[in-house]
Short mmCIF file of all heavy atoms in Angstrom, two decimals:
data_model
loop_
_atom_site.label_atom_id
_atom_site.label_comp_id
_atom_site.label_asym_id
_atom_site.label_seq_id
_atom_site.Cartn_x
_atom_site.Cartn_y
_atom_site.Cartn_z
N MET A 1 0.82 -1.17 0.08
CA MET A 1 -0.06 0.00 -0.04
C MET A 1 0.90 1.33 -0.03
O MET A 1 1.83 1.42 0.79
CB MET A 1 -0.91 0.05 1.23
CG MET A 1 -1.68 1.07 1.41
SD MET A 1 -3.04 0.75 2.65
CE MET A 1 -2.96 2.17 3.55
N LEU A 2 0.65 2.17 -0.97
CA LEU A 2 1.32 3.34 -1.06
C LEU A 2 0.78 4.42 -0.33
O LEU A 2 -0.43 4.77 -0.39
CB LEU A 2 1.60 3.74 -2.50
CG LEU A 2 2.48 2.77 -3.26
CD1 LEU A 2 2.46 3.19 -4.85
CD2 LEU A 2 3.85 2.78 -2.72
N LEU A 3 1.50 5.23 0.48
CA LEU A 3 1.00 6.39 1.08
C LEU A 3 1.05 7.64 0.14
O LEU A 3 1.95 7.79 -0.58
CB LEU A 3 1.71 6.75 2.38
CG LEU A 3 1.69 5.64 3.46
CD1 LEU A 3 2.70 6.04 4.60
CD2 LEU A 3 0.28 5.52 3.93
N PRO A 4 -0.06 8.45 0.11
CA PRO A 4 -0.04 9.69 -0.61
C PRO A 4 1.07 10.69 -0.16
O PRO A 4 1.40 10.78 0.99
CB PRO A 4 -1.33 10.35 -0.55
CG PRO A 4 -1.93 9.75 0.83
CD PRO A 4 -1.23 8.43 1.05
N VAL A 5 1.66 11.31 -1.20
CA VAL A 5 2.74 12.29 -0.81
C VAL A 5 2.11 13.58 -0.66
O VAL A 5 1.38 14.07 -1.36
CB VAL A 5 3.79 12.32 -2.02
CG1 VAL A 5 4.82 13.46 -1.66
CG2 VAL A 5 4.43 10.95 -2.34
N CYS A 6 2.30 14.18 0.49
CA CYS A 6 1.77 15.38 0.96
C CYS A 6 2.77 16.41 0.59
O CYS A 6 3.87 16.51 1.31
CB CYS A 6 1.31 15.40 2.44
SG CYS A 6 0.68 16.97 3.02
N ARG A 7 2.51 17.34 -0.19
CA ARG A 7 3.43 18.46 -0.54
C ARG A 7 2.72 19.75 -0.20
O ARG A 7 1.71 20.12 -0.75
CB ARG A 7 3.78 18.46 -2.07
CG ARG A 7 4.61 17.20 -2.42
CD ARG A 7 5.25 17.43 -3.75
NE ARG A 7 5.85 16.17 -4.18
CZ ARG A 7 7.15 15.92 -4.11
NH1 ARG A 7 7.89 16.85 -3.59
NH2 ARG A 7 7.56 14.83 -4.61
N SER A 8 3.22 20.42 0.67
CA SER A 8 2.81 21.65 1.18
C SER A 8 3.17 22.76 0.21
O SER A 8 4.34 22.79 -0.24
CB SER A 8 3.29 22.04 2.64
OG SER A 8 2.94 23.31 3.00
N PRO A 9 2.33 23.68 -0.08
CA PRO A 9 2.65 24.77 -1.06
C PRO A 9 3.76 25.76 -0.47
O PRO A 9 4.37 26.35 -1.07
CB PRO A 9 1.31 25.39 -1.32
CG PRO A 9 0.49 25.08 -0.21
CD PRO A 9 0.87 23.71 0.26
N CYS A 10 3.85 25.70 0.90
CA CYS A 10 4.81 26.63 1.53
C CYS A 10 6.16 26.08 1.65
O CYS A 10 7.06 26.66 2.06
CB CYS A 10 4.26 27.15 2.80
SG CYS A 10 4.19 25.74 4.12
N ALA A 11 6.31 24.81 1.12
CA ALA A 11 7.60 24.16 1.23
C ALA A 11 8.28 24.08 -0.02
O ALA A 11 9.05 23.29 -0.36
CB ALA A 11 7.48 22.77 1.99
N GLY A 12 8.00 24.93 -1.02
CA GLY A 12 8.63 24.99 -2.32
C GLY A 12 10.05 25.45 -2.29
O GLY A 12 10.56 25.94 -1.28
N PRO A 13 10.77 25.36 -3.51
CA PRO A 13 12.09 25.69 -3.57
C PRO A 13 12.41 27.25 -3.25
O PRO A 13 13.42 27.58 -2.74
CB PRO A 13 12.61 25.33 -4.89
CG PRO A 13 11.37 24.93 -5.67
CD PRO A 13 10.23 24.80 -4.64
N GLY A 14 11.48 28.02 -3.64
CA GLY A 14 11.58 29.45 -3.32
C GLY A 14 11.60 29.77 -1.80
O GLY A 14 12.28 30.64 -1.30
N THR A 15 10.70 29.12 -1.11
CA THR A 15 10.52 29.22 0.32
C THR A 15 11.90 28.75 1.00
O THR A 15 12.31 29.38 1.90
CB THR A 15 9.36 28.45 0.86
OG1 THR A 15 8.16 28.94 0.14
CG2 THR A 15 9.18 28.68 2.32
N ARG A 16 12.23 27.61 0.68
CA ARG A 16 13.49 27.04 1.21
C ARG A 16 14.59 28.07 0.93
O ARG A 16 15.54 28.25 1.82
CB ARG A 16 13.77 25.70 0.56
CG ARG A 16 12.96 24.61 1.28
CD ARG A 16 13.51 23.25 0.87
NE ARG A 16 12.27 22.52 0.32
CZ ARG A 16 12.04 21.93 -0.78
NH1 ARG A 16 13.12 21.87 -1.61
NH2 ARG A 16 10.95 21.31 -1.12
N PHE A 17 14.75 28.49 -0.25
CA PHE A 17 15.87 29.50 -0.52
C PHE A 17 15.71 30.66 0.39
O PHE A 17 16.85 31.12 0.94
CB PHE A 17 15.92 29.94 -1.95
CG PHE A 17 16.82 31.00 -2.27
CD1 PHE A 17 18.20 30.67 -2.43
CD2 PHE A 17 16.51 32.27 -2.44
CE1 PHE A 17 19.11 31.56 -2.81
CE2 PHE A 17 17.37 33.28 -2.71
CZ PHE A 17 18.69 32.96 -2.79
N CYS A 18 14.55 31.30 0.65
CA CYS A 18 14.43 32.42 1.37
C CYS A 18 14.77 32.13 2.81
O CYS A 18 15.40 32.83 3.44
CB CYS A 18 13.05 32.99 1.36
SG CYS A 18 12.59 33.67 -0.28
N VAL A 19 14.38 30.94 3.40
CA VAL A 19 14.74 30.57 4.70
C VAL A 19 16.27 30.39 4.88
O VAL A 19 16.83 30.95 5.76
CB VAL A 19 14.04 29.21 5.09
CG1 VAL A 19 14.51 28.81 6.44
CG2 VAL A 19 12.49 29.48 5.29
N LEU A 20 16.86 29.72 3.91
CA LEU A 20 18.33 29.55 4.01
C LEU A 20 18.98 30.96 3.89
O LEU A 20 20.03 31.23 4.50
CB LEU A 20 18.80 28.67 2.92
CG LEU A 20 18.41 27.11 3.19
CD1 LEU A 20 18.86 26.32 1.89
CD2 LEU A 20 19.14 26.68 4.36
N ALA A 21 18.59 31.67 3.08
CA ALA A 21 19.19 33.16 2.86
C ALA A 21 19.05 33.95 4.07
O ALA A 21 19.98 34.60 4.59
CB ALA A 21 18.53 33.95 1.71
N LEU A 22 17.88 33.81 4.84
CA LEU A 22 17.64 34.59 6.07
C LEU A 22 18.59 33.95 7.17
O LEU A 22 19.17 34.72 7.98
CB LEU A 22 16.23 34.48 6.45
CG LEU A 22 15.34 35.39 5.85
CD1 LEU A 22 13.82 35.08 6.21
CD2 LEU A 22 15.59 36.89 5.94
N LEU A 23 18.70 32.73 7.18
CA LEU A 23 19.60 31.96 8.19
C LEU A 23 21.03 32.43 7.94
O LEU A 23 21.79 32.67 8.86
CB LEU A 23 19.51 30.52 8.08
CG LEU A 23 18.19 29.90 8.68
CD1 LEU A 23 18.14 28.43 8.48
CD2 LEU A 23 18.19 30.18 10.24
N PHE A 24 21.50 32.51 6.71
CA PHE A 24 22.84 32.96 6.25
C PHE A 24 23.08 34.47 6.82
O PHE A 24 24.16 34.75 7.43
CB PHE A 24 23.07 32.82 4.86
CG PHE A 24 24.42 33.14 4.36
CD1 PHE A 24 25.52 32.41 4.80
CD2 PHE A 24 24.66 34.36 3.63
CE1 PHE A 24 26.82 32.83 4.35
CE2 PHE A 24 25.93 34.72 3.16
CZ PHE A 24 26.97 33.86 3.59
N VAL A 25 22.16 35.36 6.60
CA VAL A 25 22.20 36.71 6.92
C VAL A 25 22.32 36.81 8.38
O VAL A 25 23.15 37.45 9.04
CB VAL A 25 21.06 37.60 6.30
CG1 VAL A 25 21.05 38.88 6.96
CG2 VAL A 25 21.14 37.68 4.80
N ALA A 26 21.52 35.95 9.10
CA ALA A 26 21.57 36.04 10.60
C ALA A 26 22.91 35.55 11.12
O ALA A 26 23.42 36.03 12.01
CB ALA A 26 20.43 35.14 11.24
N TYR A 27 23.44 34.53 10.44
CA TYR A 27 24.72 33.92 10.84
C TYR A 27 25.90 35.04 10.67
O TYR A 27 26.66 35.21 11.49
CB TYR A 27 25.06 32.69 9.93
CG TYR A 27 26.40 32.18 10.16
CD1 TYR A 27 26.66 31.41 11.18
CD2 TYR A 27 27.43 32.38 9.14
CE1 TYR A 27 28.02 30.86 11.37
CE2 TYR A 27 28.58 31.80 9.25
CZ TYR A 27 28.90 31.04 10.42
OH TYR A 27 30.23 30.52 10.47
N LEU A 28 25.79 35.79 9.51
CA LEU A 28 26.72 36.89 9.24
C LEU A 28 26.53 37.96 10.29
O LEU A 28 27.54 38.48 10.78
CB LEU A 28 26.57 37.46 7.88
CG LEU A 28 26.93 36.58 6.70
CD1 LEU A 28 26.64 37.22 5.30
CD2 LEU A 28 28.43 36.24 6.65
N LEU A 29 25.42 38.33 10.61
CA LEU A 29 25.20 39.47 11.64
C LEU A 29 25.70 38.95 13.03
O LEU A 29 26.27 39.74 13.66
CB LEU A 29 23.67 39.79 11.66
CG LEU A 29 23.10 40.52 10.50
CD1 LEU A 29 21.66 40.78 10.70
CD2 LEU A 29 23.82 41.98 10.35
N LEU A 30 25.54 37.72 13.31
CA LEU A 30 25.95 37.25 14.57
C LEU A 30 27.43 37.16 14.68
O LEU A 30 28.06 37.70 15.58
CB LEU A 30 25.50 35.85 14.83
CG LEU A 30 25.97 35.27 16.14
CD1 LEU A 30 25.42 35.98 17.36
CD2 LEU A 30 25.47 33.71 16.21
N GLY A 31 28.01 36.74 13.53
CA GLY A 31 29.57 36.82 13.48
C GLY A 31 30.13 38.35 13.48
O GLY A 31 31.15 38.55 14.14
N ALA A 32 29.47 39.29 12.72
CA ALA A 32 29.92 40.62 12.83
C ALA A 32 29.84 41.18 14.22
O ALA A 32 30.66 41.89 14.70
CB ALA A 32 29.07 41.46 11.87
N THR A 33 28.65 40.89 14.86
CA THR A 33 28.47 41.29 16.26
C THR A 33 29.52 40.85 17.29
O THR A 33 30.17 41.61 18.04
CB THR A 33 27.03 40.98 16.82
OG1 THR A 33 26.15 41.52 15.79
CG2 THR A 33 26.81 41.52 18.15
N LEU A 34 29.84 39.55 17.12
CA LEU A 34 30.83 38.96 17.99
C LEU A 34 32.30 39.66 17.74
O LEU A 34 32.96 39.87 18.55
CB LEU A 34 30.79 37.36 17.78
CG LEU A 34 29.69 36.68 18.46
CD1 LEU A 34 29.82 35.22 18.08
CD2 LEU A 34 29.74 36.84 20.00
N PHE A 35 32.50 39.74 16.43
CA PHE A 35 33.82 40.20 16.05
C PHE A 35 33.89 41.70 16.52
O PHE A 35 35.04 42.15 17.25
CB PHE A 35 34.12 40.28 14.58
CG PHE A 35 35.31 40.87 14.17
CD1 PHE A 35 36.52 40.08 14.20
CD2 PHE A 35 35.42 42.13 13.69
CE1 PHE A 35 37.64 40.58 13.75
CE2 PHE A 35 36.60 42.71 13.30
CZ PHE A 35 37.80 41.90 13.34
N SER A 36 32.89 42.61 16.40
CA SER A 36 32.98 43.94 16.89
C SER A 36 33.10 44.04 18.38
O SER A 36 33.79 44.79 18.98
CB SER A 36 31.71 44.61 16.57
OG SER A 36 31.70 45.83 16.89
N HIS A 37 32.38 43.00 19.04
CA HIS A 37 32.47 42.98 20.53
C HIS A 37 33.85 42.64 21.02
O HIS A 37 34.28 43.17 22.05
CB HIS A 37 31.30 41.95 21.09
CG HIS A 37 31.32 41.96 22.55
ND1 HIS A 37 30.83 43.02 23.31
CD2 HIS A 37 31.77 41.04 23.52
CE1 HIS A 37 30.88 42.62 24.70
NE2 HIS A 37 31.50 41.42 24.70
N ILE A 38 34.52 41.66 20.39
CA ILE A 38 35.78 41.20 20.79
C ILE A 38 36.76 42.28 20.45
O ILE A 38 37.80 42.53 21.26
CB ILE A 38 36.16 39.85 20.21
CG1 ILE A 38 35.21 38.76 20.78
CG2 ILE A 38 37.63 39.52 20.35
CD1 ILE A 38 35.28 37.42 20.09
N GLU A 39 36.88 42.78 19.18
CA GLU A 39 37.97 43.71 18.72
C GLU A 39 37.65 45.15 18.99
O GLU A 39 38.51 45.99 18.87
CB GLU A 39 38.04 43.51 17.20
CG GLU A 39 38.53 42.21 16.82
CD GLU A 39 39.98 41.95 17.30
OE1 GLU A 39 40.82 42.93 17.31
OE2 GLU A 39 40.34 40.78 17.51
N GLY A 40 36.48 45.54 19.41
CA GLY A 40 36.10 46.90 19.67
C GLY A 40 37.07 47.73 20.70
O GLY A 40 37.47 48.71 20.41
N PRO A 41 37.12 47.13 21.96
CA PRO A 41 38.09 47.78 22.88
C PRO A 41 39.46 48.09 22.39
O PRO A 41 40.11 49.04 22.52
CB PRO A 41 38.04 46.91 24.12
CG PRO A 41 36.73 46.18 23.93
CD PRO A 41 36.63 45.95 22.44
N VAL A 42 39.95 47.04 21.68
CA VAL A 42 41.29 47.18 21.28
C VAL A 42 41.45 48.29 20.08
O VAL A 42 42.41 49.08 20.07
CB VAL A 42 41.94 45.81 20.57
CG1 VAL A 42 43.15 45.89 20.02
CG2 VAL A 42 41.90 44.66 21.67
N GLU A 43 40.49 48.23 19.19
CA GLU A 43 40.44 49.24 18.17
C GLU A 43 40.42 50.70 18.76
O GLU A 43 41.02 51.55 18.30
CB GLU A 43 39.25 48.99 17.21
CG GLU A 43 39.23 49.97 16.03
CD GLU A 43 38.03 49.63 15.11
OE1 GLU A 43 37.28 48.69 15.37
OE2 GLU A 43 37.81 50.48 14.23
N LYS A 44 39.51 50.90 19.73
CA LYS A 44 39.36 52.15 20.35
C LYS A 44 40.72 52.62 21.10
O LYS A 44 41.08 53.80 20.91
CB LYS A 44 38.22 52.17 21.36
CG LYS A 44 36.90 52.06 20.75
CD LYS A 44 35.74 51.96 21.80
CE LYS A 44 34.45 51.79 21.21
NZ LYS A 44 33.40 51.78 22.21
N GLU A 45 41.27 51.61 21.68
CA GLU A 45 42.63 51.92 22.30
C GLU A 45 43.72 52.42 21.30
O GLU A 45 44.43 53.35 21.42
CB GLU A 45 43.04 50.67 23.10
CG GLU A 45 44.37 50.92 23.86
CD GLU A 45 44.81 49.73 24.64
OE1 GLU A 45 43.92 48.84 24.98
OE2 GLU A 45 45.94 49.49 24.73
N ARG A 46 43.70 51.61 20.20
CA ARG A 46 44.67 51.90 19.09
C ARG A 46 44.42 53.35 18.52
O ARG A 46 45.30 54.01 18.21
CB ARG A 46 44.63 50.93 18.10
CG ARG A 46 45.15 49.52 18.56
CD ARG A 46 46.51 49.15 18.01
NE ARG A 46 47.09 48.11 18.66
CZ ARG A 46 47.34 46.87 18.10
NH1 ARG A 46 46.88 46.67 16.82
NH2 ARG A 46 47.73 45.80 18.78
N ALA A 47 43.15 53.66 18.29
CA ALA A 47 42.82 54.94 17.77
C ALA A 47 43.23 56.04 18.74
O ALA A 47 43.72 57.12 18.26
CB ALA A 47 41.28 55.05 17.42
N ALA A 48 42.93 55.85 20.07
CA ALA A 48 43.29 56.91 21.00
C ALA A 48 44.83 57.03 21.04
O ALA A 48 45.40 58.15 21.06
CB ALA A 48 42.88 56.41 22.34
N ASP A 49 45.64 55.95 20.92
CA ASP A 49 47.18 55.98 20.83
C ASP A 49 47.60 56.80 19.50
O ASP A 49 48.46 57.53 19.64
CB ASP A 49 47.72 54.59 20.73
CG ASP A 49 47.66 53.94 22.03
OD1 ASP A 49 47.38 54.55 23.23
OD2 ASP A 49 47.82 52.57 22.23
N LEU A 50 46.91 56.53 18.48
CA LEU A 50 47.31 57.26 17.21
C LEU A 50 47.02 58.75 17.35
O LEU A 50 47.81 59.52 16.80
CB LEU A 50 46.47 56.64 16.07
CG LEU A 50 46.84 57.23 14.68
CD1 LEU A 50 48.39 57.03 14.37
CD2 LEU A 50 45.91 56.54 13.60
N ARG A 51 45.88 59.15 17.95
CA ARG A 51 45.60 60.63 18.10
C ARG A 51 46.55 61.13 19.02
O ARG A 51 47.07 62.34 18.83
CB ARG A 51 44.12 60.68 18.64
CG ARG A 51 42.99 60.52 17.67
CD ARG A 51 41.70 60.88 18.19
NE ARG A 51 41.33 60.07 19.28
CZ ARG A 51 40.58 59.05 19.27
NH1 ARG A 51 40.18 58.54 17.98
NH2 ARG A 51 40.26 58.38 20.36
N ARG A 52 46.94 60.44 20.06
CA ARG A 52 47.88 60.94 21.04
C ARG A 52 49.19 61.20 20.39
O ARG A 52 49.91 62.23 20.59
CB ARG A 52 48.11 59.99 22.22
CG ARG A 52 49.01 60.50 23.32
CD ARG A 52 49.14 59.53 24.37
NE ARG A 52 49.51 58.16 23.92
CZ ARG A 52 50.78 57.80 23.59
NH1 ARG A 52 51.79 58.59 23.61
NH2 ARG A 52 50.91 56.52 23.09
N LEU A 53 49.63 60.12 19.61
CA LEU A 53 51.02 60.30 18.82
C LEU A 53 51.02 61.34 17.87
O LEU A 53 51.92 62.00 17.62
CB LEU A 53 51.33 58.92 18.27
CG LEU A 53 51.77 57.84 19.11
CD1 LEU A 53 51.81 56.46 18.41
CD2 LEU A 53 53.10 58.23 19.78
N ARG A 54 50.00 61.55 17.17
CA ARG A 54 49.68 62.66 16.23
C ARG A 54 49.81 64.03 16.82
O ARG A 54 50.53 64.92 16.37
CB ARG A 54 48.33 62.49 15.46
CG ARG A 54 48.16 63.59 14.29
CD ARG A 54 46.81 63.23 13.67
NE ARG A 54 46.68 64.13 12.62
CZ ARG A 54 46.01 65.31 12.83
NH1 ARG A 54 45.75 65.69 13.95
NH2 ARG A 54 45.89 66.18 11.78
N ALA A 55 49.16 64.12 18.01
CA ALA A 55 49.22 65.36 18.72
C ALA A 55 50.53 65.77 19.20
O ALA A 55 51.11 66.80 19.13
CB ALA A 55 48.27 65.38 19.85
N GLN A 56 51.32 64.62 19.68
CA GLN A 56 52.66 64.84 20.18
C GLN A 56 53.56 65.12 18.98
O GLN A 56 54.53 66.11 19.12
CB GLN A 56 53.12 63.49 20.81
CG GLN A 56 54.56 63.60 21.36
CD GLN A 56 54.93 62.32 22.05
OE1 GLN A 56 54.19 61.33 22.16
NE2 GLN A 56 56.18 62.24 22.43
N PHE A 57 53.40 64.64 17.93
CA PHE A 57 54.27 64.76 16.74
C PHE A 57 54.06 66.31 16.28
O PHE A 57 54.96 66.98 15.96
CB PHE A 57 53.89 63.97 15.60
CG PHE A 57 54.64 64.17 14.31
CD1 PHE A 57 55.88 63.69 14.13
CD2 PHE A 57 54.19 65.07 13.29
CE1 PHE A 57 56.68 63.95 13.03
CE2 PHE A 57 54.92 65.27 12.18
CZ PHE A 57 56.21 64.75 12.01
N LEU A 58 52.76 66.80 16.26
CA LEU A 58 52.58 68.15 15.91
C LEU A 58 53.16 69.16 16.90
O LEU A 58 53.55 70.19 16.49
CB LEU A 58 51.08 68.37 15.71
CG LEU A 58 50.51 67.78 14.56
CD1 LEU A 58 48.92 67.86 14.48
CD2 LEU A 58 51.02 68.28 13.29
N ARG A 59 53.12 68.75 18.20
CA ARG A 59 53.79 69.65 19.16
C ARG A 59 55.23 69.70 19.03
O ARG A 59 55.99 70.76 19.10
CB ARG A 59 53.41 69.10 20.66
CG ARG A 59 52.24 69.64 21.07
CD ARG A 59 51.99 69.35 22.64
NE ARG A 59 52.37 67.98 23.00
CZ ARG A 59 51.41 66.98 23.11
NH1 ARG A 59 50.27 67.21 22.74
NH2 ARG A 59 51.80 65.78 23.43
N ASP A 60 55.88 68.56 18.72
CA ASP A 60 57.39 68.38 18.59
C ASP A 60 57.81 68.92 17.28
O ASP A 60 59.01 69.31 17.23
CB ASP A 60 57.87 66.90 18.71
CG ASP A 60 57.57 66.31 20.02
OD1 ASP A 60 57.33 67.18 21.02
OD2 ASP A 60 57.53 65.12 20.24
N HIS A 61 57.02 69.09 16.33
CA HIS A 61 57.47 69.66 14.91
C HIS A 61 56.46 70.67 14.44
O HIS A 61 55.49 70.44 13.76
CB HIS A 61 57.36 68.43 14.00
CG HIS A 61 58.36 67.32 14.22
ND1 HIS A 61 57.97 66.32 15.15
CD2 HIS A 61 59.67 67.14 13.90
CE1 HIS A 61 58.86 65.48 15.18
NE2 HIS A 61 60.03 66.08 14.60
N PRO A 62 56.69 71.94 15.12
CA PRO A 62 55.73 72.96 14.74
C PRO A 62 55.70 73.49 13.27
O PRO A 62 54.80 74.09 12.83
CB PRO A 62 56.28 74.12 15.66
CG PRO A 62 57.55 73.77 16.04
CD PRO A 62 57.68 72.41 15.99
N CYS A 63 56.79 73.00 12.53
CA CYS A 63 56.84 73.47 11.09
C CYS A 63 55.86 72.68 10.30
O CYS A 63 55.61 73.08 9.14
CB CYS A 63 58.39 73.38 10.63
SG CYS A 63 58.97 71.69 10.76
N VAL A 64 55.30 71.54 10.91
CA VAL A 64 54.42 70.79 10.08
C VAL A 64 52.94 71.25 10.57
O VAL A 64 52.67 71.16 11.72
CB VAL A 64 54.64 69.18 10.36
CG1 VAL A 64 53.58 68.44 9.57
CG2 VAL A 64 55.98 68.81 9.99
N SER A 65 52.07 71.45 9.64
CA SER A 65 50.76 71.90 9.98
C SER A 65 49.83 70.65 10.05
O SER A 65 50.21 69.51 9.50
CB SER A 65 50.09 72.85 8.91
OG SER A 65 49.92 72.22 7.76
N ALA A 66 48.82 70.74 10.74
CA ALA A 66 47.88 69.56 10.89
C ALA A 66 47.33 69.17 9.64
O ALA A 66 47.07 68.03 9.31
CB ALA A 66 46.77 69.91 11.96
N CYS A 67 46.99 70.10 8.77
CA CYS A 67 46.38 69.95 7.32
C CYS A 67 47.42 69.16 6.46
O CYS A 67 47.03 68.30 5.79
CB CYS A 67 45.93 71.15 6.76
SG CYS A 67 44.62 72.02 7.58
N ARG A 68 48.59 69.52 6.54
CA ARG A 68 49.63 68.96 5.71
C ARG A 68 49.87 67.56 6.24
O ARG A 68 50.03 66.53 5.36
CB ARG A 68 50.99 69.69 5.68
CG ARG A 68 50.85 71.17 5.19
CD ARG A 68 51.00 71.25 3.69
NE ARG A 68 51.95 70.61 3.11
CZ ARG A 68 53.04 71.16 2.45
NH1 ARG A 68 53.31 72.36 2.62
NH2 ARG A 68 54.00 70.39 2.00
N LEU A 69 49.89 67.32 7.36
CA LEU A 69 50.07 66.02 8.03
C LEU A 69 48.90 65.02 7.67
O LEU A 69 49.07 63.89 7.27
CB LEU A 69 50.25 66.05 9.56
CG LEU A 69 50.52 64.69 10.24
CD1 LEU A 69 51.81 64.03 9.69
CD2 LEU A 69 50.44 64.80 11.75
N ALA A 70 47.73 65.62 7.74
CA ALA A 70 46.47 64.79 7.34
C ALA A 70 46.63 64.53 5.87
O ALA A 70 46.19 63.37 5.49
CB ALA A 70 45.25 65.64 7.58
N ALA A 71 46.99 65.51 5.10
CA ALA A 71 47.11 65.10 3.68
C ALA A 71 48.21 64.06 3.35
O ALA A 71 47.99 63.20 2.40
CB ALA A 71 47.39 66.37 2.80
N LEU A 72 49.27 64.15 4.02
CA LEU A 72 50.31 63.18 3.86
C LEU A 72 49.88 61.72 4.38
O LEU A 72 50.25 60.81 3.63
CB LEU A 72 51.63 63.68 4.64
CG LEU A 72 52.80 62.73 4.58
CD1 LEU A 72 53.32 62.69 3.12
CD2 LEU A 72 53.85 63.19 5.48
N SER A 73 49.16 61.60 5.41
CA SER A 73 48.91 60.29 5.93
C SER A 73 47.58 59.82 5.38
O SER A 73 47.25 58.58 5.64
CB SER A 73 48.74 60.37 7.52
OG SER A 73 47.76 61.33 7.86
N ALA A 74 46.80 60.56 4.65
CA ALA A 74 45.56 60.02 4.08
C ALA A 74 45.78 59.25 2.89
O ALA A 74 46.70 59.08 2.21
CB ALA A 74 44.50 61.29 3.78
#
């Protein structure tokens, strides 16, 4: 005796693709959030160090303007 195959209209290939695409996007967002949470404090510390070194360089070398230094380092 064969059982009838029940195919739901909401389980088509397009629906499966959308579900998988949403899962993939959620996976990417979770990874980005974790990476930002782990690396965020280190990045902020490095940016503060860079601003401090830039200010110190400009104090030690008054012949260099902030605009020229920004143009050179950009």
Side-chain angles (χ1 to χ4, degrees):
M1 178 164 134
L2 294 173
L3 296 174
V5 177
C6 179
R7 296 197 187 258
S8 173
C10 65
T15 303
R16 279 187 232 131
F17 174 77
C18 288
V19 169
L20 288 175
L22 286 174
L23 287 173
F24 182 67
V25 169
Y27 175 75
L28 289 177
L29 289 174
L30 178 64
T33 302
L34 286 173
F35 181 81
S36 178
H37 181 70
I38 292 169
E39 294 293 327
V42 175
E43 182 180 357
K44 288 178 184 176
E45 182 181 330
R46 295 252 170 110
D49 287 344
L50 184 60
R51 283 191 297 272
R52 182 183 53 78
L53 287 171
R54 183 177 179 274
Q56 181 181 354
F57 179 84
L58 289 172
R59 276 193 309 272
D60 293 345
H61 300 89
C63 60
V64 178
S65 70
C67 294
R68 300 278 309 250
L69 181 61
L72 180 65
S73 62

